[in-house]
Amino acid sequence: MYRFLLTPRWWAINVFLLLSIPFCVFMGSWQLGRFEDRVDNHREAQAQVADAKKDKPRPLDDLLPVTKATSGKQATATGRYDTQLLVPGRTLDDKDGHYVLTLLRTDTGRALPVVRGWLPGEPDPAKAPAPPAGEVTVTGALQASETPGSNGVSARSGLPEGQTAAISAASLINLVPYDVYDAWVTLNRGDSGMRAVPASAPGGTGLDLKAFQNLGYTAEWFAFVGFVIFMWFRLFRREVELARDAELGLGPATDTADPVVDDGGKPGVVDDDKGDGGDDVPRQASGVSSPVQ
């Protein structure tokens, strides 16, 4: 009954099964490992931000450019506050509000964006505290420039004058007449009664969409293992049923009756024009008299 397993067709099916299962398990395990690596990376990044608050502040230029290693580090810079902007659409403790961003003109000729704090509600320049006058020294967590459209950063355009959607050199260079550092600092303590904005983990270290894509691919690969096994058993059971029916003679019925064939070889037609002797003389129908000659 199981001799069909030795046919070339079933050899191919079995080889495919034996190769696909370990391959799917390997790919699923690899995707799961990628997800776990991203989780560990996220935890390390969060711990780095927390530990960075305990580090001794270093001059800003010593920490540039911003990398995963320097993001969140305590940076210090000296200069004079200049242009002030508001950054709408920022939440803190699940409350809607905005950042107060002021550019610090340094002796290098470039300005450092400094987030002095967070305020609730809609942005209103009249309610934003004015920056301190004169030369100041700021200390805060160093952050990389934001990318509009990612990590919750708005990509809106056409904002009112005095507002910016993202804190980045590419966005600010169009709003101020001087060069801007490709980085920004959030103060450890909110200025003028504002709430301090906590530092965020470096980009690419969070549980973002890519991390959950890895988790989804893991489920797909393992589900494919179950699908392959299910289809093999389904084909196997069908072949067994066909083999059992063949042994019991329960194959599909066929019509073996011979068709009626006349002497001319046309099936299904009886030739009544031939006599008993097989000659070609036509016969007269019974009960009909011949005409009188």
Side-chain angles (χ1 to χ4, degrees):
M1 182 181 300
Y2 301 108
R3 287 178 295 180
F4 63 85
L5 292 173
L6 302 178
T7 60
R9 173 172 173 265
W10 272 93
W11 270 105
I13 292 175
N14 292 332
V15 169
F16 174 77
L17 178 72
L18 294 176
L19 293 178
S20 61
I21 289 178
F23 176 76
C24 293
V25 171
F26 169 77
M27 292 300 297
S29 301
W30 181 76
Q31 290 287 353
L32 181 60
R34 291 285 295 168
F35 174 74
E36 292 175 345
D37 290 343
R38 292 181 183 275
V39 172
D40 294 339
N41 195 17
H42 174 68
R43 292 174 178 173
E44 292 174 0
Q46 294 291 343
Q48 175 182 325
V49 172
D51 294 339
K53 293 181 178 180
K54 305 175 183 177
D55 295 341
K56 182 179 179 179
R58 296 167 57 187
L60 173 66
D61 292 332
D62 293 348
L63 298 174
L64 297 177
V66 184
T67 63
K68 290 183 179 180
T70 61
S71 178
K73 295 292 185 179
Q74 293 293 300
T76 182
T78 301
R80 295 176 179 272
Y81 281 123
D82 195 272
T83 306
Q84 180 160 287
L85 302 168
L86 302 180
V87 187
R90 301 304 174 105
T91 60
L92 186 61
D93 295 336
D94 296 328
K95 295 181 180 179
D96 296 332
H98 56 278
Y99 294 168
V100 177
L101 175 70
T102 311
L103 282 88
L104 182 73
R105 299 286 301 273
T106 66
D107 294 337
T108 63
R110 290 186 291 177
L112 173 66
V114 178
V115 174
R116 297 171 49 231
W118 175 90
L119 291 175
E122 294 296 326
D124 185 356
K127 296 180 180 180
E135 186 176 83
V136 295
T137 298
V138 299
T139 301
L142 183 65
Q143 302 280 266
S145 290
E146 298 177 334
T147 302
S150 65
N151 297 327
V153 179
S154 174
R156 293 171 54 191
S157 60
L159 292 174
E161 184 178 358
Q163 296 185 23
T164 180
I167 308 174
S168 68
S171 299
L172 297 174
I173 198 65
N174 298 319
L175 302 177
V176 294
Y178 39 79
D179 293 336
V180 179
Y181 279 101
D182 191 20
W184 57 283
V185 167
T186 175
L187 298 183
N188 296 327
R189 295 182 179 180
D191 194 7
S192 302
M194 295 181 289
R195 294 185 59 181
V197 176
S200 58
T205 60
L207 294 179
D208 53 7
L209 179 61
K210 291 183 178 180
F212 290 102
Q213 282 180 342
N214 292 134
L215 190 61
Y217 293 149
T218 300
E220 289 181 1
W221 282 113
F222 286 122
F224 191 69
V225 172
F227 174 76
V228 170
I229 295 175
F230 167 76
M231 291 303 299
W232 186 91
F233 274 108
R234 184 174 181 180
L235 291 174
F236 176 78
R237 185 177 63 179
R238 180 175 177 272
E239 292 287 349
V240 170
E241 291 175 351
L242 292 176
R244 185 181 295 114
D245 292 344
E247 290 182 355
L248 298 177
L250 299 178
T254 57
D255 187 5
T256 59
D258 295 333
V260 179
V261 182
D262 64 0
D263 292 342
K266 297 180 180 180
V269 179
V270 179
D271 191 353
D272 293 333
D273 294 336
K274 296 183 180 179
D276 295 337
D279 55 3
D280 295 333
V281 179
R283 294 180 298 171
Q284 185 174 343
S286 176
V288 179
S289 60
S290 59
V292 178
Q293 299 293 333

